[in-house]
Amino acid sequence: MGLARLAALHGVATAYAPSEGVTVPVADATVVRVLAALGVDASTPQAVRAAVGRADAAAAGRLLPPTVVAWSGADGCVAELPQALAELPGDTAVRITTEQGAETAWSAPGQTAGRARLPLGVHRLHATTPDGRAAEATLVVAPDRVARPQGRSHGFLVQLYSLLSARSWGMGDLGDLAELAAWSGRSLGASFVQVNPLHAAVPGAPSDPSPYRPSSRRFPDPVHLRIEDIPEYAYADGPARERLYELRDKGAELRESVLEKGALIDRDAVWALKREALELLHRVPLGPGRRAAYGDFLAGQGQALEDHATWYALAEVYGSDWHSWPAELRDPRSPRTARARNELRDRVDFHSRLAWLTDEQLAAAGRAAHEAGMGVGVVHDLAVGVHPGGADAWAQGEVFAAGMSVGAPPDAFNARGQDWGLPPWRPDVLAASGYAAYRGLLHGILRHAGALRIDHVMGLFRLWWVPQGCPPTEGTYVRYDADAMLAVLALEAYRAGAVVIGEDLGTVEPGVRETLARRGVLGTSVLWFERDWAGSGSPLAPEEWREGCVATATTHDLPSTAARLSGGHVELRHRLGLLARPLEQERTEDSADVCAWLDLLTGLGLLPEGADDEEGGIRAVYRFLLRTPASMVGIWLPDAVGDRRPQNLPGTWDEYPNWRLPVADASGRPVGLEELAASPRLHALLEVFPARTAPPDARPGQPFATLAPWTRRTPCAPAPSRPVRR
């Protein structure tokens, strides 16, 4: 009982429910190790009793939690007193120091007259009781709902590296993203382009090609740069210019090997060329205006960028896993690290410059999208975590739980569970810091985003922690303060004018989707998973789908629509030895599944081409998605040309070229951006979609004109001369 109570006090689960009506206990050894990662000793019964006593004493003496959340309505007023303030003793004086430095007061706890008017932001809360006790906390005042696009919209989903153009150096880049956005927005009426995470990767060869296990989520990867679009490229001269031309030609050879010779995308080869080019461009002096812009970027990013660039400079000397560095260098604040930063200042500047250049091209892609009339723009993707040996884990070590990894418990689809190899954030440290690391992360990735997709959005509520050295079956859930996580998300999205999309596929605990919907976060609905799971198991009729979602036919981890309709995905998994049941049984079940959908599509009059027409079947799938009330409909770009291959095949490593395939047609022949833009098959599919109609208040250059009107308001500021009443 003592261990269970201690675990509950720290948000650690002692049991979980993999399916309705089934409860699985968590081993005591797992609970003890997870508590240890949270700084709580539970190794003996005596230690448990002592830890419970300390926790109870701390709770009894605490006036305020470390972070308090207040939700602000469309009128800029906080209608409901936060629970933490309602529980304060009567006549407690509550003062607020806003993030701008202004001082104001909140009404005494228990008063109900009036509504508090507070500016949105992250403030400091000060409370003093009548008997002289005092406490401070971070106060997050957030809009009570994230902005949503007005009306229906559609756009493309694509893994950026997979979309090469005639100007790419062997993989898709930010110049290609800008071109895709400009073309699809202007010519096809698309409102958004959603891409894979563009986070900075762990250096080294061979590198991990997965965009979901980055070194840093805070800064983008310079491998996505279009070298020729860097202004200094035009001013290189002499031998440097000649070498840049040679590198450009080598980049063209890489591109041709992928598009014309069947080679896989080789990120390491691309980066080797681009890195050499960037080293040459780093020697080209910046003009006064460029130098000033770079200085502003450095000042705006501050310590976070300095740490990021320092890690990359140190990684060049000591390797890309900071755990193997000399002991003092494992601490970003040690005197030895400060000396190393100074000794390597040119390399630190080089990596800082790369972050700036990439930020500039991200901004250019965002501008291209909005100038093309896109109502949402570029949708960026936030991975669920970072590599344990990478830059973020080094720079923010105190925020990560040592010896733990994020994953998923066993379920009906994976009896062994999953271990993703990503260290989780400690919820206690996040709360104590006012969610500073989380706020910085969101602020950075939202700088140039029209929307943000959050991978495994359920992680805002709880994450499955797996102790190092244990199988995923021996993990447990650790809970986060979802109210605070959502408030910070809503605040940063409001400041960026961005939509938020949560990837809520898989096992989702009761109430999570409802909470996300209440806060305006869109969900993700994939055609093949939308069934009456509580009843007959038959496909959901379009009117039964939820409105608050991005509706798609597939994702990067799933078969393309052509592969699904043809059964090709079953054959692929059979060739790779991934089937858990006999081939004929898998074929039979898959065929029945597809037939159920085709019957529904036919019955709704959405398949006039007939069930044997593959292109017609793909068009019918997207006609169906448009029949649903979904706010946004995402078109998997490879579907538009009949690609049969998934970009990633979960459960494989060397057996399948995950994250290294270019977009290809039905025969497997790679298709570049220029050919794709002229594809009759693509244009036939896009005829399914309605032309975009601009809202009445839209005007050129107005990025967020299609967002709900209240999101563009100026938040109310309290009158500093008198207390704010609620």
Side-chain angles (χ1 to χ4, degrees):
M1 240 353 245
L3 181 61
R5 183 162 183 272
L6 181 63
L9 289 170
H10 293 278
V12 179
T14 54
Y16 69 97
S19 59
E20 189 174 354
V22 177
T23 300
V24 178
V26 175
D28 286 354
T30 295
V31 175
V32 169
R33 288 192 62 180
V34 169
L35 284 169
L38 292 169
V40 180
D41 181 9
S43 57
T44 66
Q46 295 84 357
V48 169
R49 286 194 294 272
V52 169
R54 287 192 297 272
D56 285 342
R62 185 174 59 229
L63 280 178
L64 292 171
T67 298
V68 176
V69 170
W71 295 99
S72 179
D75 59 359
C77 297
V78 177
E80 184 177 350
L81 189 71
Q83 186 66 25
L85 299 189
E87 293 174 352
L88 289 172
D91 297 325
T92 296
V94 179
R95 291 184 301 106
I96 297 166
T97 303
T98 70
E99 60 183 26
Q100 296 82 14
E103 294 270 341
T104 188
W106 204 320
S107 58
Q111 292 186 354
T112 58
R115 291 157 59 85
R117 300 174 66 84
L118 295 170
L120 300 179
V122 180
H123 317 305
R124 290 300 294 171
L125 186 65
H126 316 267
T128 305
T129 65
D131 60 4
R133 290 179 296 152
E136 290 190 7
T138 298
L139 173 65
V140 179
V141 181
D144 60 6
R145 285 180 60 82
V146 174
R148 286 187 175 182
Q150 287 186 338
R152 302 292 302 281
S153 64
H154 66 271
F156 286 119
L157 318 176
V158 65
Q159 300 283 290
L160 179 58
Y161 60 82
S162 72
L163 184 65
L164 287 74
S165 73
R167 297 176 181 176
S168 307
W169 286 23
M171 62 181 280
D173 59 33
L174 291 171
D176 297 322
L177 175 58
E179 287 283 355
L180 174 63
W183 162 67
S184 62
R186 295 177 188 278
S187 300
L188 304 177
S191 287
F192 62 90
V193 173
Q194 178 180 307
V195 295
N196 54 285
L198 304 181
H199 308 319
V202 177
S207 61
D208 186 344
S210 172
Y212 289 93
R213 201 164 182 250
S215 171
S216 172
R217 296 185 293 173
R218 179 66 178 81
F219 294 96
D221 197 318
V223 76
H224 300 112
L225 283 167
R226 169 72 61 82
I227 297 297
E228 296 92 332
D229 287 353
I230 297 171
E232 285 65 46
Y233 184 86
Y235 300 104
D237 55 18
R241 175 175 287 276
E242 293 303 316
R243 182 55 182 162
L244 285 169
Y245 288 161
E246 292 173 2
L247 293 169
R248 182 194 60 191
D249 292 342
K250 289 180 181 292
E253 291 174 6
L254 282 179
R255 176 181 67 246
E256 290 167 7
S257 70
V258 173
L259 292 180
E260 300 176 14
K261 300 177 182 178
L264 297 175
I265 292 168
D266 188 341
R267 182 189 180 282
D268 294 334
V270 173
W271 177 234
L273 297 180
K274 289 190 176 182
R275 180 182 179 120
E276 185 178 347
L278 291 164
E279 296 278 8
L280 293 170
L281 294 177
H282 189 231
R283 300 169 196 160
V284 177
L286 297 175
R290 294 276 291 161
R291 170 65 60 182
Y294 179 41
D296 285 348
F297 180 77
L298 292 174
Q301 300 302 313
Q303 187 70 54
L305 177 58
E306 187 171 273
D307 287 343
H308 176 82
T310 298
W311 184 90
Y312 277 86
L314 290 170
E316 293 177 344
V317 180
Y318 299 103
S320 57
D321 185 349
W322 60 271
H323 296 94
S324 65
W325 295 356
E328 281 192 81
L329 292 179
R330 297 173 204 165
D331 178 1
R333 304 291 168 255
S334 74
R336 172 77 183 277
T337 299
R339 290 196 302 273
R341 182 182 291 116
N342 184 58
E343 293 163 0
L344 298 170
R345 58 185 175 276
D346 183 64
R347 302 309 300 163
V348 172
D349 181 68
F350 174 70
H351 291 289
S352 297
R353 182 89 64 92
L354 298 192
W356 172 54
L357 294 174
T358 313
D359 184 82
E360 285 194 316
Q361 292 194 8
L362 283 169
R367 285 195 301 273
H370 293 306
E371 288 168 1
M374 285 189 163
V376 176
V378 179
V379 182
H380 287 273
D381 196 350
L382 178 63
V384 71
V386 294
H387 194 286
D392 283 2
W394 175 76
Q396 301 171 343
E398 71 283 353
V399 184
F400 292 95
M404 294 289 141
S405 176
V406 174
D411 57 29
F413 300 99
N414 192 329
R416 293 175 295 179
Q418 301 175 58
D419 183 345
W420 302 330
L422 311 169
W425 268 339
R426 286 182 54 165
D428 56 332
V429 177
L430 279 177
S433 66
Y435 294 83
Y438 179 50
R439 286 189 278 120
L441 167 63
L442 292 175
H443 179 77
I445 197 170
L446 284 165
R447 278 171 60 84
H448 308 300
L452 178 64
R453 174 192 181 270
I454 300 180
D455 192 42
H456 194 70
V457 72
M458 296 82 78
L460 301 182
F461 296 76
R462 64 177 185 176
L463 282 171
W464 184 257
W465 287 24
V466 181
Q468 193 172 48
C470 294
T473 51
E474 296 178 16
T476 189
Y477 280 113
V478 175
R479 191 160 294 282
Y480 293 76
D481 184 343
D483 211 38
M485 298 289 277
L486 285 170
V488 171
L489 175 62
L491 176 62
E492 293 300 334
Y494 166 83
R495 287 171 160 166
V499 174
V500 178
I501 302 159
E503 185 271 295
D504 56 352
L505 303 175
T507 302
V508 185
E509 67 176 318
V512 166
R513 286 196 175 105
E514 292 77 8
T515 299
L516 292 171
R518 188 168 68 254
R519 296 303 177 198
V521 177
L522 297 174
T524 301
S525 293
V526 178
L527 181 92
W528 309 98
F529 299 154
E530 292 298 310
R531 291 177 170 273
D532 178 17
W533 296 111
S536 65
S538 58
L540 279 185
E543 64 272 12
E544 295 176 320
W545 285 44
R546 54 182 168 169
E547 180 272 334
C549 74
V550 178
T552 71
T554 188
T555 75
H556 57 266
D557 285 333
L558 296 172
S560 69
T561 306
R564 179 75 72 169
L565 292 174
S566 67
H569 68 110
V570 175
E571 305 301 325
L572 173 62
R573 294 180 66 81
H574 172 63
R575 290 198 302 272
L576 296 176
L578 298 176
L579 295 182
R581 297 176 298 178
L583 175 60
E584 286 308 314
Q585 184 179 350
E586 292 279 357
R587 282 174 173 164
T588 300
E589 184 172 310
D590 181 69
S591 177
D593 183 47
V594 171
C595 285
W597 278 103
L598 291 177
D599 288 345
L600 176 59
L601 296 174
T602 301
L604 292 171
L606 301 176
L607 188 50
E609 299 91 345
D612 294 330
D613 186 319
E614 181 185 292
E615 289 188 46
I618 294 173
R619 289 194 289 270
V621 163
Y622 285 98
R623 291 184 187 114
F624 179 92
L625 295 180
L626 287 171
R627 232 1 131 79
T628 73
S631 297
M632 299 168 68
V633 174
I635 308 161
W636 179 237
L637 186 60
D639 273 354
V641 288
D643 200 340
R644 280 173 155 69
R645 307 163 307 169
Q647 281 293 314
N648 178 51
L649 191 57
T652 63
W653 181 248
D654 292 332
E655 308 95 318
Y656 186 80
N658 296 317
W659 317 112
R660 290 172 286 172
L661 293 171
V663 174
D665 64 16
S667 69
R669 183 181 62 84
V671 177
L673 176 57
E674 293 81 3
E675 183 180 355
L676 185 143
S679 166
R681 180 165 179 161
L682 179 144
H683 285 279
L685 174 60
L686 267 294
E687 287 177 2
V688 168
F689 291 83
R692 181 181 62 236
T693 301
D697 63 341
R699 58 183 183 275
Q702 183 181 357
F704 311 114
T706 60
L707 296 182
W710 77 266
T711 65
R712 300 193 299 276
R713 65 179 170 81
T714 301
C716 299
S721 59
R722 61 181 184 276
V724 176
R725 300 292 180 185
R726 68 180 299 276

